[in-house]
Amino acid sequence: MVSRLALSRLAPVLNVARSSASAAARRNIRPARSYATSSDGEQHSMTVRDALNVAMEEEMLRDETVFILGEEVARYNGAYKVTKGLMDKFGEKRVVDTPITEMGFAGIAVGAALQGLRPICEFMTFNFAMQAIDQIVNSAGKTYYMSGGNVPCPVVFRGPNGAAAGVGAQHSQDYAAWYGSVPGLKVVSPWSAEDCKGLLKAAIRDPNPVVFLENEMMYGISFPMSAEAMSDNFLLPIGKCKVEREGTDVTLVGHSKMVGHCMEAAEALAKEGIKAEVINLRSIRPLDIDTIIKSVKKTNRLVIVEGGWPGFGVGSEICAQIVESEAFDYLDAPVERVTGADVPTPYATVLENLSFPDTPVIVKVAKRALYRTN
Amino acid sequence: MIRPSNSLLARAPVVLRRSFSTGIPRRNDHLPTTNSPIITKLDFFNSVTGNDTQIPTYRLLDGVGKPLDGAQLPEIDEAFAHRLYSNMQLLPTLDNVLYNVQRQGKISFYMTAHGEEATIVGSAAALDMQDEVLGQYREMGVLLWRGFTLDSVMAQCFGNEEDTSGKGRQMPVHFGSPEHHFHTISSPLATQIPQAAGVAYALRRSPTRRSKNIAACFFGEGAASEGDFHAGLMLASTIPSPALFIARNNGFAISTPSTEQYNGDGIASRGPGYGIDTLRVDGNDVLAVISAIREARKRCLEQGRAVLVEAMTYRVGHHSTSDDSFAYRARSEVEDRKRIDNPITRFRLFMESRGWWNNDAETELKARLKADVMKAFKRAETMKRAELGELFTDVYGGQEPWNIKEQRQELSRLVKKYGTIWEPWQKELSKFRNNGQDLMK
């Protein structure tokens, strides 16, 4: 185990560096899940980590061809414990530890998918997946088209994406826009536990390659789960967003961790009598622009929030599609983008905190869109 | 070979003894994490053979097709020999026609296999028809061996409506055919190498194909410099799977000679580094290739592990139609190799020595192959492209996303508006099957 730890590169450091809140949440990993026997009316909740774990477990039970591979996903239970217990349940043939080479095990995943299996390829973080981006974009994303529809590639690439905390420029970036620009790929960026469960299950069943962007800071966060979401057949459609909170005055669109900030901002705005509508994107590609258009036609104001950089980003794309659509005529203010700062992410806590959107800045920009300065 | 999992257990007592020992470690002691013997001499090494010689090359026939002393020829009969030979002759026949077709501007690109016929056809002949093949781009001979027709070859190169490889979406020679267990060629170099490890892993997981089929992966010595090569071999070795890696060492990676591609002993020297059984074979000796690949395949299946074969050959043709190799090598060098180390001639001489071949048969074969190829070429040349609407299919499987639908609707709107009244569009639409009618509905 000592050598395994030594091989795990930055993951143990990341674990320590994380805020104490999420570390505490991790200690609460359920001894046994209770959803199967729960009675009606009981309020369920689940961490994002557990929702991902349950999604994979259920799909592996349902379909023999589903298997997981990646660095330390099996015996070590995953660098972030997302695959905890799966090796014990399904054995080393279906939960496969690999050496440290992203281009290698992403290639294995693609090859296995081309040959009829349904691999779930875990990257310790998407920052490391850049080594494997050729396999993801050129092989997984294009083979179905290039083979004239002969050879599908049903693979899920998943792992934490976006800024974490205190891990510097090379471990803090958001790849939603990168993968979101590639036809042939589907790209999902969930926020809540319900999102994670329903979308990961849908991603595993999807006949296409799906890039599933998780967020390290969210793993330990608990969310309420509906009875429906607890069922083992709970699927959410890829390509549809969710209106998390209805409102009439301004539309806040976000994905992943930023949805939480948007919800907090909406709450703060409500205290000032502003009714913000919050849209959780869920999918980056295909992008559910219709729901956003509908919302903008109602609120006449749009603020897009993301943890990525501003240039050529998810917000830029949504802004472009909105001004190209009939919603343009309904806008009463310029579209606003709230994004990460356009610099490589700094390490020092004060600088890092300044580099990403938080709730107060979203509130401020939403008010600016409403021409309110106070 | 070092196997860390069981060797650790076996060494446990040694470790204990060493840690309490105060004397000089004995020669047979080991470090705790390896089986490496302890020595007291500074002994650098740079050879996998252990005696500073190069890895030997397995060969059965000499340059004039005569069996070497002690050579054990694979069992082949006259009919099989004829099949091998006609497949080897088909490649240059097809290559000459398609090379010139490209030069006339009728197709955008082509790659010949001149000089590598024995490596490609010999490997194809030694594999099972159901073994999954992942090629680099120069392995059309494997498909032809498996019954892929000349019409299918032409359809792919012209990208016409009969193209079963990819509906006209890929560059020439990027073949693919699930029916022939041949994976779609991908342009970025070496991506097929780790994928082969994944295909082999999937075969091992399949109850119907486990212990029956392997994944055979072709690549050049240039591709072996890509990180994918190292990642692929390491993974095929650490996640054991029946993958056979066949390196076609043809001397050139486009213009870079293999002497500049590596400073070590070829590609074969890397196999033992990954704990993989390895063989170097004379790739211009088709019988040696057959024996080597048959035995390699057997090892893959019996051990459930990867095997590496380095086939030494020579790229007589240019890299592709985008290359003029006489800018970096002498024409005389190529002519010499064609004369003294010609894989086709070598096998013909062998067949003649057995009384299986003569000049009449040679003349008849060449005329027949040429006629077949020209017939397929002429048929393909005038064929239409796939339906215009196919531009948008197969981006995604399952339900089609709105962005694909929207693009099709946009094109459909334009084709309806101008397709029947504007002459340049009418002319363009006539190149597609059904003249674009599928979008005018």
Side-chain angles (χ1 to χ4, degrees):
Chain A
M1 191 52 84
V2 172
S3 65
R4 298 190 59 75
L5 278 170
L7 282 172
S8 68
R9 293 198 282 193
L10 279 154
V13 181
L14 298 180
N15 286 345
V16 174
R18 218 111 30 97
S19 68
S20 58
S22 77
R26 186 141 16 94
R27 278 197 292 276
N28 289 337
I29 288 174
R30 77 286 177 243
R33 283 190 302 279
S34 58
Y35 66 92
T37 53
S38 63
S39 55
D40 292 342
E42 192 183 329
Q43 183 56 51
H44 302 279
S45 72
M46 199 180 265
T47 62
V48 162
R49 175 182 289 108
D50 289 349
L52 295 166
N53 183 280
V54 173
M56 287 188 282
E57 184 191 335
E58 287 174 2
E59 291 308 297
M60 288 177 82
L61 284 170
R62 183 182 153 272
D63 183 350
E64 267 287 312
T65 64
V66 178
F67 75 103
I68 301 171
L69 79 170
E71 290 159 24
E72 42 201 58
V73 293
R75 268 170 273 171
Y76 191 66
N77 286 317
Y80 297 102
K81 308 299 169 212
V82 176
T83 54
K84 190 176 169 72
L86 295 179
M87 188 196 77
D88 293 339
K89 288 194 186 83
F90 298 101
E92 287 187 348
K93 266 192 179 166
R94 295 184 65 194
V95 186
V96 183
D97 277 331
T98 70
I100 305 176
T101 161
E102 280 74 14
M103 64 162 65
F105 65 76
I108 281 217
V110 170
L114 297 176
Q115 197 58 41
L117 296 182
R118 286 183 176 268
I120 303 170
C121 174
E122 177 177 307
F123 293 114
M124 195 178 282
T125 94
F126 264 94
N127 298 286
F128 305 152
M130 269 199 284
Q131 262 210 11
I133 203 163
D134 183 54
Q135 290 285 354
I136 300 171
V137 172
N138 264 328
S139 291
K142 295 177 186 170
T143 298
Y144 188 61
Y145 186 76
M146 293 195 313
S147 69
N150 283 334
V151 191
C153 189
V155 53
V156 177
F157 300 103
R158 53 154 289 269
N161 169 63
V167 289
Q170 292 168 326
H171 300 98
S172 309
Q173 54 191 327
D174 183 338
Y175 290 89
W178 291 53
Y179 295 111
S181 72
V182 181
L185 292 179
K186 290 190 177 179
V187 183
V188 176
S189 182
W191 169 57
S192 67
E194 208 169 287
D195 287 0
C196 283
K197 188 179 172 203
L199 288 168
L200 183 53
K201 284 165 71 76
I204 294 167
R205 295 188 196 188
D206 201 280
N208 301 286
V210 181
V211 175
F212 195 91
L213 304 169
E214 298 157 12
N215 188 299
E216 183 203 325
M217 312 288 280
M218 299 299 295
Y219 282 148
I221 310 284
S222 277
F223 285 88
M225 293 280 275
S226 66
E228 192 196 357
M230 298 303 279
S231 112
D232 60 7
N233 221 5
F234 175 65
L235 297 173
L236 288 173
I238 295 175
K240 286 269 173 279
C241 49
K242 184 187 177 193
V243 179
E244 294 283 355
R245 179 186 176 119
E246 293 202 20
T248 51
D249 300 337
V250 59
T251 300
L252 307 178
V253 177
H255 68 95
S256 189
K257 182 167 174 278
M258 289 303 147
V259 178
H261 289 299
C262 289
M263 293 297 278
E264 287 172 14
E267 198 60 47
L269 290 165
K271 293 198 177 106
E272 299 185 40
I274 298 166
K275 298 185 194 72
E277 178 145 306
V278 178
I279 295 179
N280 170 7
L281 271 183
R282 281 184 170 168
S283 295
I284 305 298
R285 173 179 270 268
L287 184 66
D288 181 7
I289 197 69
D290 286 348
T291 301
I292 304 171
I293 290 174
K294 205 173 131 200
S295 178
V296 170
K297 283 161 85 171
K298 178 170 68 173
T299 65
N300 314 111
R301 287 166 167 89
L302 176 60
V303 176
I304 309 152
V305 188
E306 65 181 313
W309 289 308
F312 314 94
V314 173
S316 320
E317 179 60 28
I318 292 172
C319 176
Q321 291 200 29
I322 285 297
V323 300
E324 285 170 352
S325 78
E326 76 266 24
F328 179 70
D329 294 330
Y330 291 79
L331 285 172
D332 286 343
V335 176
E336 295 264 15
R337 288 176 295 158
V338 183
T339 72
D342 202 7
V343 294
T345 303
Y347 163 73
T349 313
V350 281
L351 293 175
E352 186 184 39
N353 290 343
L354 285 171
S355 298
F356 294 101
D358 57 8
T359 305
V361 81
I362 298 168
V363 170
K364 193 175 156 191
V365 174
K367 282 160 80 174
R368 189 164 69 198
L370 286 151
Y371 303 114
R372 287 170 58 149
T373 48
N374 55 334
Chain B
M1 199 168 296
I2 296 163
R3 295 272 180 268
S5 52
N6 49 33
S7 58
L8 264 176
L9 281 173
R11 274 193 317 277
V14 179
V15 174
L16 272 177
R17 197 174 64 234
R18 277 197 71 231
S19 44
F20 292 109
S21 156
T22 49
I24 297 159
R26 286 198 309 275
R27 204 183 146 73
N28 291 334
D29 280 351
H30 303 277
L31 295 176
T33 50
T34 77
N35 262 336
S36 169
I38 302 287
I39 56 171
T40 51
K41 187 185 155 203
L42 274 171
D43 191 9
F44 290 84
F45 68 98
N46 191 355
S47 155
V48 293
T49 59
N51 53 11
D52 286 342
T53 58
Q54 289 211 331
I55 296 165
T57 303
Y58 172 76
R59 172 191 254 196
L60 297 174
L61 301 178
D62 68 12
V64 291
K66 198 169 138 249
L68 299 176
D69 287 346
Q72 217 173 355
L73 301 186
E75 283 178 30
I76 59 163
D77 58 17
E78 186 176 347
F80 189 77
H82 279 194
R83 194 172 158 211
L84 276 177
Y85 189 68
S86 65
N87 269 271
M88 283 167 71
Q89 278 288 12
L90 175 58
L91 287 181
T93 313
L94 199 46
D95 283 351
N96 285 336
V97 170
L98 282 169
Y99 187 84
N100 287 322
V101 165
Q102 193 278 338
R103 281 296 181 247
Q104 291 162 16
K106 289 174 181 167
I107 60 176
S108 67
F109 179 81
Y110 191 70
M111 300 182 104
T112 65
H114 293 302
E116 297 177 60
E117 294 88 352
T119 296
I120 295 162
V121 175
S123 300
L127 294 172
D128 184 271
M129 289 290 207
Q130 261 100 50
D131 286 342
E132 298 293 330
V133 170
L134 294 95
Q136 180 157 300
Y137 40 55
R138 222 183 283 283
E139 294 85 6
M140 179 174 69
V142 177
L143 266 172
L144 292 166
W145 179 267
R146 290 180 172 195
F148 196 72
T149 63
L150 288 176
D151 284 336
S152 301
V153 168
M154 292 295 173
Q156 198 284 328
C157 288
F158 279 89
N160 68 29
E161 60 180 309
E162 278 187 2
D163 173 21
T164 53
S165 291
K167 298 184 182 170
R169 291 168 185 159
Q170 284 235 74
M171 286 168 71
V173 309
H174 288 54
F175 303 101
S177 176
E179 183 196 340
H180 298 95
H181 301 279
F182 192 94
H183 282 253
T184 305
I185 301 293
S186 157
S187 293
L189 218 49
T191 52
Q192 77 275 18
I193 302 173
Q195 285 169 17
V199 168
Y201 177 80
L203 289 174
R204 213 169 58 114
R205 286 276 315 274
S206 159
T208 55
R209 303 188 67 187
R210 185 183 303 148
S211 315
K212 285 199 188 107
N213 288 121
I214 64 163
C217 178
F218 290 87
F219 52 89
E221 89 285 352
S225 293
E226 293 275 7
D228 286 84
F229 165 84
H230 301 276
L233 260 71
M234 180 176 61
L235 280 162
S237 152
T238 53
I239 304 172
S241 62
L244 171 53
F245 296 101
I246 304 170
R248 294 181 289 96
N249 190 337
N250 67 10
F252 291 93
I254 308 189
S255 69
T256 308
S258 58
T259 49
E260 290 173 26
Q261 193 67 240
Y262 46 75
N263 189 38
D265 188 1
I267 310 305
S269 63
R270 300 172 194 173
Y274 293 112
I276 288 177
D277 288 2
T278 302
L279 183 83
R280 176 175 286 158
V281 63
D282 179 351
N284 285 0
D285 175 352
V286 71
L287 295 185
V289 172
I290 289 176
S291 281
I293 300 295
R294 274 186 188 162
E295 177 59 24
R297 183 179 184 277
K298 197 166 136 241
R299 277 171 189 250
C300 274
L301 286 175
E302 282 174 4
Q303 304 173 2
R305 305 191 77 96
V307 176
L308 171 65
V309 173
E310 179 182 24
M312 306 305 289
T313 177
Y314 185 83
R315 198 193 75 210
V316 169
H318 306 299
H319 164 72
S320 72
T321 49
S322 312
D323 172 44
D324 173 13
S325 67
F326 298 130
Y328 51 83
R329 61 180 181 181
R331 195 180 286 265
S332 59
E333 176 193 325
V334 178
E335 292 306 319
D336 284 352
R337 289 299 293 251
K338 265 159 85 173
R339 205 177 60 250
I340 61 171
D341 191 18
N342 186 316
I344 297 179
T345 311
R346 199 194 297 196
F347 190 55
R348 190 178 82 207
L349 292 171
F350 169 78
M351 290 211 301
E352 283 175 1
S353 73
R354 296 271 155 137
W356 291 351
W357 201 250
N358 55 37
N359 281 342
D360 291 346
E362 180 79 6
T363 313
E364 189 276 329
L365 175 70
K366 280 188 168 168
R368 179 164 58 80
L369 293 177
K370 184 83 192 285
D372 289 349
V373 169
M374 288 310 290
K375 192 175 148 202
F377 157 62
K378 283 183 178 139
R379 182 170 176 277
E381 194 183 18
T382 54
M383 267 189 161
K384 293 199 173 195
R385 303 293 158 112
E387 283 194 327
L388 181 55
E390 291 282 1
L391 177 59
F392 303 109
T393 58
D394 311 319
V395 180
Y396 291 99
Q399 209 184 2
E400 193 168 68
W402 66 266
N403 55 322
I404 304 292
K405 284 201 185 89
E406 194 181 86
Q407 292 179 86
R408 185 187 291 104
Q409 282 161 7
E410 174 70 359
L411 182 61
S412 179
R413 186 181 68 75
L414 291 166
V415 167
K416 277 181 201 161
K417 194 170 174 187
Y418 301 111
T420 52
I421 54 164
W422 194 33
E423 200 265 331
W425 277 49
Q426 282 174 307
K427 202 175 141 202
E428 208 51 43
L429 286 172
S430 70
K431 293 177 186 166
F432 296 91
R433 182 198 289 177
N434 298 327
N435 306 316
Q437 287 296 321
D438 57 308
L439 289 182
M440 293 191 199
K441 283 171 204 156

